[in-house]
Amino acid sequence: MLKFFSRLEKTRNFFILIFAIIMVASLVLFYSPTRGGLAVSPARSEELVANVNGEKISLGELYRQRERYSQYTQGRAYPANLVLRGLIDSRVTRLEAQRLGLTASNAEVAAALREQLKNPDGTVVDQARYEQYAIDQAGSVPAYEQQLRDSLSGDKLRAFITSGVTVSEADVLNDFQRKNTKFDLTYVAVTGDELSKAITPTDAELHDYFEKNKASYYISEPQKKIKYLFVNTAKIGEKLPISDADLKAEYDKLPDDKKKAGVLGQEIVLRVPKPDFDSQVQEKANQIVQRLKKDGENVSEAAFAEIAKGQSENAASASQGGKLKGPVRENPNNPTDPYQRLIKMQPGEVSEPISYKGSYFILRRGEDVPKPFEDAKKELEVSLRNRRAYAVAAELAGKVAETLKQNKDAAKTAQQFAVQANTTPADMVKETAYIKTGDDVPNIGISPQFEDGIKPLENVGDVGDKIPVTNGFAIPILADKKEPRDADFEDVKAQLIDVVKLDKARGMTEETAKQIAAGASNAAGLSAAASAKGLKAADQKAFILGSPLGQGTAASTSDELENAIYSMKPGETTKTPIKVGESWYIVGVTGRTDANMDDFAKQRDSLREQILMRKRGEIFADYLASARQKLEAAGDIKIYNDVVAKIEEPTQPGGPEGE
């Protein structure tokens, strides 16, 4: 095998020829023109998606790269245009390396292959396994070797372009101080959503908006007014007896993975300062993962912590060796949360880089946190009560439906079953406004199940079967029906209120933020200035630059915001509001704890390396962007969007030949 790689330069052309013959034979045997789909598997298609000054990018390459990226996006397809941008950058890198005489030689490629394909015992994989691996990764042996050559050439080009980059002691000291200084803040986040809460549109404003947008509110399908009897699962559950013995039996039946309060974890976070740097940050993240796994797939807490302290850009967790604040619990309602990956990992396992909200996350899974019976008891009671209540409610709802179908009288039926439903007849009978498919129905929401359940009801008095809805079951009876028509103002007034409130609020956010900033002469006065505009100031203790400011999914940050905070002394506020995303922030510093300089010597070397890598990455990204712009200006980059679109569409099987 080693001889195979040492003879790579001599034998390369031979293998390219053999591969070309195989490819031609495959096309002859398996190619069948089709309409409305791809002629061959998209992973093997040689159709061009882009041409970068003669360097071609095939649909197959784009497809395979996209599939690799999609492994880290929870099953969602990675945007093809972003993948293509990275491939174009790889071709620009190839061209620049050629222009400067920095293309990796055959000997360098062979050496890299030998190192890359070593078995655990030091031997190299045999030729057949290598060829299969290359085909799986890149579609062919030559394509795989070209990818490796490009990677080596890119490293040489990056080293050449950034060889003069240095980091001064002042840069390292400033970075240390920024990452380790803590701030107590008071702040106001001015958003359209918050401002809209204090806005009450007049009928005149609602009418005016309706008249201007009337065409958007045409009611194109019938509307139905539904009266329904509601069987509330929670109400039924209230009177169900649940004993400690029942709960202990439930706990004993739990599988081991359900007897834990969560898992511990560590993180390394690398921020993407702007989209152009995405590929560079991803590459850095990949290098960190390789460094972590150099001694095997299992990584110790200490080894991960050492790299997290020097490389992670989430200062809050980096100082703790990347440790997350508490155990990560399973949350099926938030599958895109990168920390949910930890639940399915093994202790000591390290994830691949995960792209999420402008950062790359590298996660290490720690140990399980056990959940004893006493801690699980309350959760088990809720689960058991809900299950039993659901079964009782479903049975009762079936009886209610049968009775209502016979007597067609909602009030009389409610009177008969209210006691069993643990409610009053008045609370059991509900009625909707005139509704259509897709409407948000009060107490039910947008429910396909409810829509399907009322679909067969065509005549007033028609009764449907029981329908599972939020918190229980609905048994519907058609009260009235309206055919498609131009909407009246009253039909859509409820919808218009929220639309007009938000529309007005969005136009007020910047001006309101400026008024709050002008009305707060110091941090202490920020709360009063916010209250005068119907908003509230919030506090955040021990804030560290690099952490998001705010609460929940709206929390965010930016370089401008962080620079403003770092420059302020206690008592000062930002003189003008700062826009972050769709929000405007006014921030005051109420306390500041400067970095402990005793720790500086311990972190100096790792900080220097981190800053140097970041600077090199930024300079190289700017260099590539400039080279790409020159090629674009000369018309040397051609993108075939109609071909790119093919992998966004499902492949349709072709009909008979000649059809």
Side-chain angles (χ1 to χ4, degrees):
M1 187 59 193
L2 290 176
K3 291 181 179 179
F4 166 70
F5 287 120
S6 67
R7 295 198 305 268
L8 180 65
E9 186 168 2
K10 298 178 181 178
T11 61
R12 181 178 181 81
N13 291 336
F14 171 75
F15 282 107
I16 292 175
L17 177 61
I18 293 299
F19 180 77
I21 292 171
I22 293 171
M23 287 298 293
V24 170
S26 299
L27 288 173
V28 170
L29 289 171
F30 301 112
Y31 176 79
S32 175
T34 61
R35 286 188 308 190
L38 294 171
V40 294
S41 164
R44 297 286 182 260
S45 174
E46 291 301 316
E47 194 170 3
L48 288 190
V49 292
N51 189 320
V52 184
N53 198 26
E55 297 290 346
K56 299 173 182 178
I57 301 172
S58 71
L59 183 62
E61 183 178 3
L62 175 61
Y63 181 87
R64 290 189 299 272
Q65 188 78 321
R66 182 173 179 250
E67 289 296 293
R68 280 195 286 272
Y69 285 178
S70 295
Q71 294 175 18
Y72 311 119
T73 55
Q74 302 293 325
R76 291 178 290 107
Y78 202 88
N81 63 320
L82 294 182
V83 180
L84 180 57
R85 183 178 182 86
L87 290 174
I88 289 174
D89 282 345
S90 75
R91 297 306 194 270
V92 174
T93 302
R94 182 189 298 176
L95 290 167
E96 287 298 294
Q98 290 172 357
R99 184 176 67 84
L100 296 171
L102 297 172
T103 301
S105 67
N106 286 344
E108 289 171 322
V109 175
L113 280 171
R114 284 194 297 271
E115 186 62 32
Q116 195 177 85
L117 299 172
K118 275 184 180 178
N119 286 314
D121 61 1
T123 61
V124 180
V125 299
D126 60 51
Q127 183 174 337
R129 284 177 59 196
Y130 161 62
E131 290 177 355
Q132 186 58 54
Y133 175 79
I135 291 170
D136 291 342
Q137 292 296 308
S140 71
V141 172
Y144 177 72
E145 293 176 1
Q146 183 62 59
Q147 283 184 5
L148 182 56
R149 190 184 303 276
D150 286 344
S151 177
L152 296 172
S153 303
D155 289 343
K156 293 170 74 172
L157 178 64
R158 182 183 287 105
F160 177 75
I161 297 300
T162 64
S163 59
V165 178
T166 59
V167 177
S168 69
E169 186 73 5
D171 289 335
V172 181
L173 178 60
N174 181 59
D175 192 77
F176 171 79
Q177 290 173 329
R178 285 178 65 93
K179 287 183 175 178
N180 293 276
T181 299
K182 297 180 180 179
F183 301 86
D184 292 337
L185 305 175
T186 182
Y187 68 93
V188 181
V190 184
T191 67
D193 287 342
E194 283 298 317
L195 286 183
S196 69
K197 295 175 183 177
I199 295 173
T200 304
T202 65
D203 274 0
E205 289 173 325
L206 296 175
H207 268 289
D208 181 58
Y209 186 90
F210 175 66
E211 291 300 327
K212 290 177 180 177
N213 298 276
K214 197 169 185 176
S216 302
Y217 291 94
Y218 176 75
I219 300 171
S220 60
E221 59 181 281
Q223 288 179 300
K224 297 177 180 179
K225 177 180 280 190
I226 301 295
K227 185 173 286 188
Y228 64 95
L229 294 176
F230 180 53
V231 178
N232 190 320
T233 303
K235 281 287 185 183
I236 288 177
E238 288 174 3
K239 63 179 186 179
L240 294 178
I242 304 290
S243 68
D244 274 4
D246 291 334
L247 297 177
K248 186 64 169 65
E250 285 292 301
Y251 181 79
D252 291 341
K253 288 189 294 186
L254 289 175
D256 290 342
D257 65 320
K258 298 298 181 184
K259 291 182 180 179
K260 57 187 181 185
V263 300
L264 299 178
Q266 293 168 275
E267 67 176 1
I268 295 172
V269 183
L270 304 179
R271 292 171 58 193
V272 180
K274 56 184 181 179
D276 289 349
F277 292 170
D278 187 275
S279 58
Q280 280 72 38
V281 177
Q282 184 185 37
E283 178 61 27
K284 178 182 175 182
N286 286 330
Q287 291 172 359
I288 290 175
V289 170
Q290 291 174 6
R291 181 177 166 190
L292 285 165
K293 294 182 178 181
K294 61 181 174 60
D295 295 324
E297 292 294 317
N298 232 341
V299 179
S300 71
E301 180 180 333
F304 192 96
E306 182 182 353
I307 294 180
K309 287 178 180 178
Q311 300 294 338
S312 182
E313 295 175 14
N314 181 350
S317 62
S319 61
Q320 304 299 316
K323 280 187 180 180
L324 302 179
K325 285 185 177 179
V328 175
R329 297 173 177 81
E330 187 172 7
N331 182 4
N333 295 321
N334 191 13
T336 60
D337 178 3
Y339 301 117
Q340 288 294 300
R341 287 279 296 277
L342 291 168
I343 303 296
K344 297 180 180 179
M345 292 165 58
Q346 297 298 315
E349 184 181 350
V350 173
S351 73
E352 297 301 315
I354 304 167
S355 177
Y356 183 74
K357 290 189 176 180
S359 296
Y360 278 92
F361 290 75
I362 302 167
L363 304 176
R364 176 191 175 274
R365 203 252 209 209
E367 297 298 324
D368 293 339
V369 178
K371 182 190 292 184
F373 170 66
E374 288 303 321
D375 290 348
K377 189 174 175 180
K378 186 174 181 180
E379 185 180 327
L380 288 170
E381 181 178 355
V382 171
S383 174
L384 182 58
R385 190 177 296 279
N386 285 343
R387 291 203 313 274
R388 289 184 177 179
Y390 186 89
V392 174
E395 183 180 358
L396 180 60
K399 294 177 181 178
V400 172
E402 290 304 314
T403 301
L404 186 59
K405 286 176 182 179
Q406 292 173 13
N407 64 27
K408 309 285 186 180
D409 189 328
K412 183 178 178 181
T413 306
Q415 190 72 40
Q416 181 178 340
F417 289 100
V419 173
Q420 294 179 60
N422 196 28
T423 187
T424 65
D427 285 341
M428 198 170 178
V429 180
K430 309 286 184 183
E431 188 172 81
T432 72
Y434 287 94
I435 59 174
K436 63 183 185 307
T437 303
D439 281 352
D440 190 346
V441 181
N443 302 315
I444 291 178
I446 300 173
S447 169
Q449 288 175 300
F450 188 73
E451 291 169 2
D452 289 343
I454 66 174
K455 190 177 294 182
L457 311 184
E458 293 296 335
N459 302 306
V460 173
D462 285 353
V463 177
D465 295 322
K466 66 182 180 187
I467 306 169
V469 295
T470 304
N471 300 322
F473 293 87
I475 301 90
I477 181 170
L478 182 61
D480 198 12
K481 182 178 177 182
K482 290 183 179 180
E483 296 301 326
R485 68 200 186 283
D486 286 324
D488 296 325
F489 174 71
E490 291 300 327
D491 289 327
V492 295
K493 182 177 179 179
Q495 300 175 45
L496 292 172
I497 292 173
D498 287 338
V499 173
V500 173
K501 285 171 65 172
L502 191 57
D503 189 58
K504 289 185 67 176
R506 284 172 176 162
M508 297 166 53
T509 51
E510 182 177 6
E511 184 56 34
T512 301
K514 287 180 178 178
Q515 291 171 3
I516 293 173
S521 57
N522 53 45
L526 192 53
S527 180
S531 296
K533 296 297 178 183
L535 299 174
K536 289 184 178 180
D539 294 325
Q540 190 150 330
K541 302 294 184 182
F543 176 80
I544 299 176
L545 301 185
S547 304
L549 181 62
Q551 299 174 349
T553 55
S556 190
T557 189
S558 71
D559 289 341
E560 184 182 3
L561 180 64
E562 292 180 3
N563 290 338
I565 292 171
Y566 189 70
S567 67
M568 287 192 288
K569 299 175 182 176
E572 294 181 342
T573 63
T574 48
K575 302 302 181 185
T576 57
I578 298 169
K579 189 174 185 183
V580 182
E582 295 300 315
S583 303
W584 290 88
Y585 281 85
I586 310 98
V587 182
V589 175
T590 57
R592 175 174 177 144
T593 305
D594 288 323
N596 182 354
M597 295 307 297
D598 292 340
D599 294 333
F600 177 59
K602 302 174 186 176
Q603 299 183 29
R604 178 190 280 111
D605 292 343
S606 62
L607 282 174
R608 185 184 299 279
E609 180 186 354
Q610 184 176 334
I611 298 168
L612 189 60
M613 287 182 67
R614 184 170 67 241
K615 279 190 171 184
R616 285 173 174 168
E618 291 171 355
I619 288 172
F620 189 62
D622 289 341
Y623 173 84
L624 277 187
S626 176
R628 175 173 177 154
Q629 286 170 3
K630 290 177 182 177
L631 290 169
E632 288 173 337
D636 289 332
I637 297 181
K638 296 180 175 63
I639 298 174
Y640 306 105
N641 290 311
D642 57 329
V643 182
V644 177
K646 290 184 179 182
I647 65 169
E648 302 288 6
E649 304 166 355
T651 303
Q652 300 294 328
E657 237 178 286
E659 188 177 82

